[in-house]
């Protein structure tokens, strides 16, 4: 008989396995779950060399799973960029830039963010741009917003990027003067100009990825899907895993099109070359398609129009970035080589287009390919049952679709009765859809899944800064919300055989919490803290006392 390497007893174990949701103990052998059961059942398996640990009632559950983040970008921002104060107004942004610039050479780039979506009106002026230019001392500046879809650039940065006042997506004031606000793809030339003179080295890319994973470990994330990777990030993940330094399961999404990042290799050259980066814990199994933008800048695609404004008129719906034939063609091409797809959709028209395309492909026999509608916070009621019928997962980001700055910005461009009908999670689950949780970090301030779980259960802003609830009828239960950030997300990513629940044979990925969330009020869920994170039977994070 082979004895386990490790036995943990005396715990309150939540398995996220519907067949046996609760237990008292687990055993680990060779980085895998060897047993789940009562204290007596599991303790009986111990041998002379088995490490034994009594947990004295601590809460143990599967490692958390994040179906949508940008870990390398988050690591890069943490290590190498300016972090603006959360929610800063125009003067606060300028002060942060001025202080950061003081330690830089005269021609150095200042890159960072995020500025809040509901501060757009403050910065989108020629006077605001002049303030930014002065704060930077004439240096090139590129600051992303909280959606990471739009940028605010200084005059020097736009000059270096060759951006002119008449270019698409370049915001102008009433007198035709640039404000520095660059909508969606209009900001890519600035990102490319920065990369041309000072992009990250291969070692810095690896450091950024390593840092992103380490930060995720602090929040108990043991598996995640990066929602848009570069060749550099794919290589960083390959190298980290080859050296035994990748402490999470990682699924990557290779960019078909690029509306925000400015990566130098996308499309065919990236998508069909991803296999060479595959390792034990890194799976380049998805493509990423941007089908629309974001509602606050009227780049999301809707079935019904936005509120009227002078620029867009009375009947503007927004547009999809690919027409139906292009979308279906790309999905077919990647499905033919076994690659699944994550499609960014924020408006209900883009969600509808994805479901139509998948319906076509399912009819052609592509029954095993995984599809995720990313964000999809607006879904027409008629399309809700189609998610389950077509096997499309809903990749949701409750971190940003609760009362907060992005919701406030959406209320300025959509009628209130439509703006507030976001995230129909209760309806999707009741219709049988797989609802999978993603942080979209660093669009969200942190990847703390308990912020997302809190929002799913209460429909409130976990920080308490923004009052009220958002469509409370669509709240879900705590066990459903935990499933969203464990087994559901693993299933949506194609990792359910490896992780997402505590079951014999799966990777020994689990966390110890500072409390039993089932024993606390729902409005305290956000206070839940991860004390330890274990990946593949190794402890990769422990909170210091």
């Amino acid at each position: 008989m082979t004895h386990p390497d490790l036995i943990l007893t005396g715990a309150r174990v939540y398995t996220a396995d519907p067949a046996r949701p609760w237990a008292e103990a687990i055993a680990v052998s060779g980085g895998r779950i060897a047993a789940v059961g009562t204290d007596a059942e599991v303790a009986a398996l111990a041998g002379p060399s088995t490490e034994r640990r009594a947990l004295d009632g601590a809460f143990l559950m599967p490692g958390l799973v994040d179906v949508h983040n940008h870990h390398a970008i988050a690591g890069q921002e943490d290590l190498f960029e300016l972090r603006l104060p959360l929610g800063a107004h125009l003067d606060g942004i300028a002060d942060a830039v001025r202080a950061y610039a003081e330690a830089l050479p005269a021609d150095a780039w200042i890159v960072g963010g995020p500025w809040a979506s509901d501060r757009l009106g403050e910065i989108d002026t020629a006077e605001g741009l002049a303030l930014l230019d002065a704060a930077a001392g004439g240096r090139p500046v590129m600051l992303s917003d909280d959606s990471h879809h739009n940028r605010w650039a200084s005059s020097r940065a736009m000059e270096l990027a060759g951006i002119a006042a008449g270019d698409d997506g370049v915001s102008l004031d009433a007198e035709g003067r640039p404000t520095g606000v660059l909508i969606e793809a209009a900001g890519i030339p600035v990102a490319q100009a920065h990369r041309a003179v000072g992009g990250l080295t291969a070692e810095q890319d690896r450091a950024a990825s390593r840092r992103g994973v380490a930060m995720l470990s602090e929040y108990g994330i043991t598996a995640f899907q990066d929602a848009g990777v570069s060749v550099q990030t794919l290589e960083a993940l390959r190298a980290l895993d080859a050296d035994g330094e990748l402490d999470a399961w990682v699924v990557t999404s290779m960019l078909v099109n690029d509306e925000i990042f400015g990566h130098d290799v996308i499309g065919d050259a990236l998508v069909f070359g991803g296999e060479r980066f595959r390792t034990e814990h890194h799976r380049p199994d998805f493509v990423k398609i941007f089908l629309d933008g974001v509602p606050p800048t009227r780049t999301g695609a809707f079935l019904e129009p936005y509120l009227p404004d002078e620029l867009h008129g009375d009947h503007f719906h927004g547009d999809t970035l690919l027409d139906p034939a292009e979308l279906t063609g790309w999905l077919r091409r990647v499905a033919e080589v076994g690659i699944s797809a994550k499609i960014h959709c924020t408006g209900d028209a883009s969600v509808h287009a994805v479901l139509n395309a998948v319906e076509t492909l399912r009819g052609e026999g592509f029954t095993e390919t995984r599809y995720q509608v990313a964000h999809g916070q607006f879904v027409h009621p008629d399309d809700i049952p189609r998610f389950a019928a077509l096997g499309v997962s809903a990749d949701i980001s409750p971190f940003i679709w609760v009362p907060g700055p992005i919701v406030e910005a959406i209320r300025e461009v959509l009628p209130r009765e439509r703006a507030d009908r976001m995230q129909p999670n209760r309806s999707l689950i009741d219709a049988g859809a797989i609802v999978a949780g993603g942080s979209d970090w660093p669009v969200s301030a942190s990847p703390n899944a308990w912020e997302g779980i809190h929002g799913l259960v209460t429909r409130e802003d976990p920080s308490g800064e923004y009052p009220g609830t958002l469509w409370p009828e669509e709240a879900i239960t705590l066990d459903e919300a935990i499933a969203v950030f464990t087994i559901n997300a693993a299933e949506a990513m194609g990792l359910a055989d490896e992780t997402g629940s505590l079951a014999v044979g799966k990777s020994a990925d689990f966390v110890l919490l500072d409390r039993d969330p089932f024993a606390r009020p729902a409005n305290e869920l956000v206070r839940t803290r991860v004390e330890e994170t274990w990946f593949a039977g190794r402890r990769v994070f422990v909170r210091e006392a």
Side-chain angles (χ1 to χ4, degrees):
M1 175 182 178
T2 301
H3 299 289
D5 303 320
L6 171 68
I7 284 178
L8 301 170
T9 58
R12 181 158 164 79
V13 179
Y14 184 70
T15 69
D17 179 358
R20 187 176 188 175
W22 295 100
E24 296 174 329
I26 65 169
V28 176
S29 184
R32 297 273 166 176
I33 301 291
V36 179
T38 66
D39 284 340
E41 289 169 341
V42 175
L45 302 175
S49 61
T50 300
E51 179 184 352
R52 308 183 195 200
R53 183 175 170 193
L55 293 180
D56 300 321
F59 193 90
L60 187 153
M61 63 174 285
L64 295 155
V65 184
D66 186 340
V67 79
H68 190 128
N69 69 37
H70 303 276
H71 84 288
I73 291 175
Q76 175 181 326
E77 291 179 353
D78 185 70
L79 293 175
F80 306 119
E81 296 184 3
L82 164 66
R83 306 304 295 149
L84 295 176
L86 191 64
H89 288 271
L90 175 60
D91 287 344
I93 296 172
D95 289 344
V97 169
R98 186 177 297 106
Y100 191 78
E102 288 177 354
L104 298 177
D107 58 350
W109 278 78
I110 299 171
V111 176
W115 47 271
S117 293
D118 54 355
R119 302 289 181 252
L120 178 61
E122 295 182 32
I123 69 173
D124 193 21
T125 67
E127 291 74 19
L129 177 59
L131 185 63
L132 178 65
D133 290 342
R139 295 173 179 84
V141 182
M142 179 176 66
L143 303 176
S144 295
D145 74 345
D146 51 12
S147 76
H148 282 60
H149 276 246
N150 309 296
R151 294 176 173 89
W152 191 29
S154 68
S155 296
R156 179 59 175 157
M158 290 190 289
E159 178 187 346
L160 292 172
I163 290 175
D167 294 345
D168 289 343
V170 176
S171 184
L172 307 176
D173 71 1
E175 298 178 23
R177 299 175 296 177
T179 67
V181 172
L182 306 173
I183 304 300
E184 299 280 347
I188 286 179
V190 177
Q192 292 172 333
H194 168 246
R195 189 174 293 116
V197 298
L200 301 187
T201 65
E203 185 51 43
Q204 287 174 321
D205 278 314
R206 181 165 166 163
S209 191
R210 184 191 298 110
R211 178 60 181 148
V213 174
M215 295 168 77
L216 290 166
S217 295
E218 294 176 19
Y219 291 98
I221 307 297
T222 57
F224 65 90
Q225 183 167 350
D226 192 300
V229 294
S230 64
V231 170
Q232 291 84 358
T233 297
L234 289 169
E235 170 55 24
L237 290 167
R238 185 209 63 76
L240 287 172
D241 206 20
D243 290 344
E245 298 179 17
L246 185 56
D247 293 334
W249 296 96
V250 186
V251 174
T252 46
S253 314
M254 299 170 288
L255 293 162
V256 165
N257 59 344
D258 182 4
E259 294 300 305
I260 59 175
F261 299 115
H263 294 323
D264 49 357
V265 179
I266 61 170
D268 283 33
L270 178 65
V271 168
F272 298 108
E275 190 61 27
R276 70 185 186 274
F277 302 104
R278 183 180 300 276
T279 59
E280 180 183 2
H281 298 113
H282 170 227
R283 301 183 180 187
D285 285 348
F286 279 71
V287 296
K288 169 69 174 292
I289 295 175
F290 285 101
L291 197 55
D292 66 358
V294 291
T297 51
R298 300 177 188 252
T299 51
F302 284 89
L303 296 168
E304 298 295 327
Y306 286 92
L307 291 170
D309 71 347
E310 293 183 3
L311 180 61
H312 300 92
D314 294 345
H315 305 289
F316 182 71
H317 297 247
D319 299 309
T320 57
L321 296 166
L322 280 67
D323 66 33
E326 290 175 310
L327 174 62
T328 304
W330 260 110
L331 295 182
R332 183 183 295 111
R333 288 181 64 204
V334 298
E336 287 172 345
V337 295
I339 300 177
S340 297
K342 179 189 289 287
I343 306 102
H344 169 107
C345 308
T346 61
D348 54 9
S350 54
V351 173
H352 186 70
V354 169
L355 295 171
N356 289 347
V358 172
E359 186 171 30
T360 296
L361 293 169
R362 296 298 193 214
E364 294 176 1
F366 295 103
T367 58
E368 301 301 318
T369 311
R370 297 178 186 277
Y371 296 102
Q372 303 170 1
V373 165
H375 306 307
Q377 74 270 25
F378 291 101
V379 182
H380 191 279
D382 292 347
D383 280 333
I384 287 175
R386 299 179 73 197
F387 277 79
L390 295 170
V392 176
S393 299
D395 157 7
I396 63 166
S397 302
F399 299 68
I400 52 181
W401 310 127
V402 294
I406 292 180
V407 171
E408 290 298 315
I410 291 174
R411 287 169 173 167
E412 295 179 6
V413 299
L414 292 178
R416 182 64 178 260
E417 66 274 12
R418 286 172 52 205
D420 285 4
R421 293 178 70 82
M422 281 189 269
Q423 272 201 348
N425 303 323
R426 172 81 273 148
S427 298
L428 284 164
I429 289 173
D430 288 347
I434 294 174
V435 176
S439 63
D440 204 11
W441 178 62
V443 173
S444 61
S446 87
N448 181 6
W450 292 100
E451 294 180 21
I453 291 169
H454 183 112
L456 289 171
V457 173
T458 68
R459 306 289 294 198
E460 298 172 349
D461 170 21
S463 75
E465 181 179 353
Y466 289 79
T469 57
L470 186 69
W471 204 5
E473 295 83 356
E474 291 294 333
I476 64 176
T477 65
L478 177 55
D479 57 341
E480 289 171 330
I482 289 176
V484 164
F485 279 97
T486 53
I487 190 61
N488 289 10
E491 175 63 35
M493 294 159 55
L495 286 177
D497 290 341
E498 297 283 2
T499 194
S501 63
L502 299 177
V504 173
K506 288 193 175 186
S507 183
D509 307 335
F510 57 90
V511 296
L512 297 176
L513 304 181
D514 69 343
R515 68 192 66 201
D516 176 354
F518 289 91
R520 302 296 181 97
N523 62 6
E524 294 182 7
L525 285 168
V526 71
R527 301 181 190 174
T528 304
R529 292 290 179 269
V530 171
E531 296 295 326
E532 297 183 22
T533 303
W534 290 69
F535 170 69
R538 296 181 289 108
R539 189 167 66 179
V540 296
F541 169 74
V542 59
R543 187 172 300 281
E544 296 181 1

mmCIF file of all heavy atoms in Angstrom, residues 24-41:
data_model
loop_
_atom_site.group_PDB
_atom_site.id
_atom_site.type_symbol
_atom_site.label_atom_id
_atom_site.label_comp_id
_atom_site.label_asym_id
_atom_site.label_seq_id
_atom_site.Cartn_x
_atom_site.Cartn_y
_atom_site.Cartn_z
ATOM 1 N N GLU A 24 -14.273 16.110 6.164
ATOM 2 C CA GLU A 24 -13.487 16.541 7.322
ATOM 3 C C GLU A 24 -11.985 16.522 7.074
ATOM 4 O O GLU A 24 -11.225 17.177 7.793
ATOM 5 C CB GLU A 24 -13.770 15.623 8.519
ATOM 6 C CG GLU A 24 -15.201 15.669 9.012
ATOM 7 C CD GLU A 24 -15.468 14.638 10.093
ATOM 8 O OE1 GLU A 24 -14.838 13.553 10.070
ATOM 9 O OE2 GLU A 24 -16.306 14.931 10.972
ATOM 10 N N ALA A 25 -11.567 15.772 6.067
ATOM 11 C CA ALA A 25 -10.123 15.577 5.886
ATOM 12 C C ALA A 25 -9.814 15.271 4.428
ATOM 13 O O ALA A 25 -10.680 14.804 3.673
ATOM 14 C CB ALA A 25 -9.640 14.429 6.772
ATOM 15 N N ILE A 26 -8.563 15.535 4.042
ATOM 16 C CA ILE A 26 -8.078 15.156 2.711
ATOM 17 C C ILE A 26 -6.678 14.571 2.854
ATOM 18 O O ILE A 26 -5.963 14.853 3.818
ATOM 19 C CB ILE A 26 -8.047 16.344 1.723
ATOM 20 C CG1 ILE A 26 -7.029 17.408 2.176
ATOM 21 C CG2 ILE A 26 -9.419 16.952 1.524
ATOM 22 C CD1 ILE A 26 -6.759 18.477 1.117
ATOM 23 N N ALA A 27 -6.309 13.761 1.871
ATOM 24 C CA ALA A 27 -4.955 13.229 1.787
ATOM 25 C C ALA A 27 -4.377 13.594 0.432
ATOM 26 O O ALA A 27 -5.095 13.647 -0.575
ATOM 27 C CB ALA A 27 -4.964 11.713 1.973
ATOM 28 N N VAL A 28 -3.054 13.844 0.405
ATOM 29 C CA VAL A 28 -2.354 14.258 -0.806
ATOM 30 C C VAL A 28 -1.205 13.292 -1.058
ATOM 31 O O VAL A 28 -0.449 12.949 -0.141
ATOM 32 C CB VAL A 28 -1.809 15.698 -0.653
ATOM 33 C CG1 VAL A 28 -1.001 16.094 -1.882
ATOM 34 C CG2 VAL A 28 -2.948 16.683 -0.405
ATOM 35 N N SER A 29 -1.076 12.877 -2.295
ATOM 36 C CA SER A 29 0.033 12.009 -2.687
ATOM 37 C C SER A 29 0.489 12.374 -4.085
ATOM 38 O O SER A 29 -0.325 12.450 -5.014
ATOM 39 C CB SER A 29 -0.409 10.536 -2.652
ATOM 40 O OG SER A 29 0.673 9.680 -2.928
ATOM 41 N N GLY A 30 1.787 12.656 -4.236
ATOM 42 C CA GLY A 30 2.316 12.996 -5.545
ATOM 43 C C GLY A 30 1.670 14.207 -6.172
ATOM 44 O O GLY A 30 1.553 14.295 -7.398
ATOM 45 N N GLY A 31 1.264 15.158 -5.346
ATOM 46 C CA GLY A 31 0.648 16.383 -5.852
ATOM 47 C C GLY A 31 -0.809 16.245 -6.225
ATOM 48 O O GLY A 31 -1.391 17.186 -6.762
ATOM 49 N N ARG A 32 -1.403 15.073 -5.924
ATOM 50 C CA ARG A 32 -2.804 14.807 -6.275
ATOM 51 C C ARG A 32 -3.609 14.493 -5.015
ATOM 52 O O ARG A 32 -3.065 14.073 -3.993
ATOM 53 C CB ARG A 32 -2.893 13.622 -7.242
ATOM 54 C CG ARG A 32 -2.204 13.860 -8.577
ATOM 55 C CD ARG A 32 -3.131 14.518 -9.560
ATOM 56 N NE ARG A 32 -2.458 15.056 -10.728
ATOM 57 C CZ ARG A 32 -3.081 15.613 -11.759
ATOM 58 N NH1 ARG A 32 -4.402 15.685 -11.779
ATOM 59 N NH2 ARG A 32 -2.399 16.100 -12.780
ATOM 60 N N ILE A 33 -4.924 14.689 -5.123
ATOM 61 C CA ILE A 33 -5.815 14.314 -4.034
ATOM 62 C C ILE A 33 -5.908 12.791 -3.983
ATOM 63 O O ILE A 33 -6.318 12.148 -4.963
ATOM 64 C CB ILE A 33 -7.216 14.923 -4.215
ATOM 65 C CG1 ILE A 33 -7.146 16.455 -4.268
ATOM 66 C CG2 ILE A 33 -8.158 14.455 -3.116
ATOM 67 C CD1 ILE A 33 -6.767 17.110 -2.969
ATOM 68 N N ALA A 34 -5.507 12.216 -2.843
ATOM 69 C CA ALA A 34 -5.535 10.762 -2.689
ATOM 70 C C ALA A 34 -6.787 10.283 -1.966
ATOM 71 O O ALA A 34 -7.203 9.124 -2.147
ATOM 72 C CB ALA A 34 -4.294 10.298 -1.928
ATOM 73 N N ALA A 35 -7.384 11.145 -1.161
ATOM 74 C CA ALA A 35 -8.595 10.756 -0.435
ATOM 75 C C ALA A 35 -9.302 11.996 0.058
ATOM 76 O O ALA A 35 -8.677 13.016 0.368
ATOM 77 C CB ALA A 35 -8.249 9.844 0.741
ATOM 78 N N VAL A 36 -10.628 11.903 0.157
ATOM 79 C CA VAL A 36 -11.475 12.935 0.750
ATOM 80 C C VAL A 36 -12.497 12.198 1.610
ATOM 81 O O VAL A 36 -13.165 11.281 1.129
ATOM 82 C CB VAL A 36 -12.208 13.770 -0.324
ATOM 83 C CG1 VAL A 36 -13.088 14.824 0.335
ATOM 84 C CG2 VAL A 36 -11.229 14.421 -1.289
ATOM 85 N N GLY A 37 -12.605 12.563 2.878
ATOM 86 C CA GLY A 37 -13.544 11.830 3.714
ATOM 87 C C GLY A 37 -13.567 12.308 5.136
ATOM 88 O O GLY A 37 -13.231 13.455 5.449
ATOM 89 N N THR A 38 -13.953 11.407 6.034
ATOM 90 C CA THR A 38 -13.988 11.727 7.455
ATOM 91 C C THR A 38 -12.573 11.685 8.019
ATOM 92 O O THR A 38 -11.650 11.127 7.409
ATOM 93 C CB THR A 38 -14.861 10.731 8.218
ATOM 94 O OG1 THR A 38 -14.243 9.439 8.167
ATOM 95 C CG2 THR A 38 -16.264 10.654 7.624
ATOM 96 N N ASP A 39 -12.423 12.229 9.217
ATOM 97 C CA ASP A 39 -11.122 12.179 9.873
ATOM 98 C C ASP A 39 -10.642 10.733 10.015
ATOM 99 O O ASP A 39 -9.470 10.419 9.732
ATOM 100 C CB ASP A 39 -11.204 12.824 11.255
ATOM 101 C CG ASP A 39 -11.254 14.343 11.195
ATOM 102 O OD1 ASP A 39 -10.856 14.916 10.155
ATOM 103 O OD2 ASP A 39 -11.688 14.963 12.179
ATOM 104 N N ALA A 40 -11.537 9.871 10.445
ATOM 105 C CA ALA A 40 -11.143 8.486 10.675
ATOM 106 C C ALA A 40 -10.751 7.790 9.376
ATOM 107 O O ALA A 40 -9.743 7.058 9.325
ATOM 108 C CB ALA A 40 -12.280 7.732 11.359
ATOM 109 N N GLU A 41 -11.531 8.014 8.321
ATOM 110 C CA GLU A 41 -11.241 7.371 7.036
ATOM 111 C C GLU A 41 -9.879 7.784 6.503
ATOM 112 O O GLU A 41 -9.093 6.959 6.034
ATOM 113 C CB GLU A 41 -12.326 7.742 6.010
ATOM 114 C CG GLU A 41 -13.679 7.105 6.267
ATOM 115 C CD GLU A 41 -14.763 7.706 5.385
ATOM 116 O OE1 GLU A 41 -14.567 8.829 4.859
ATOM 117 O OE2 GLU A 41 -15.812 7.059 5.236
#
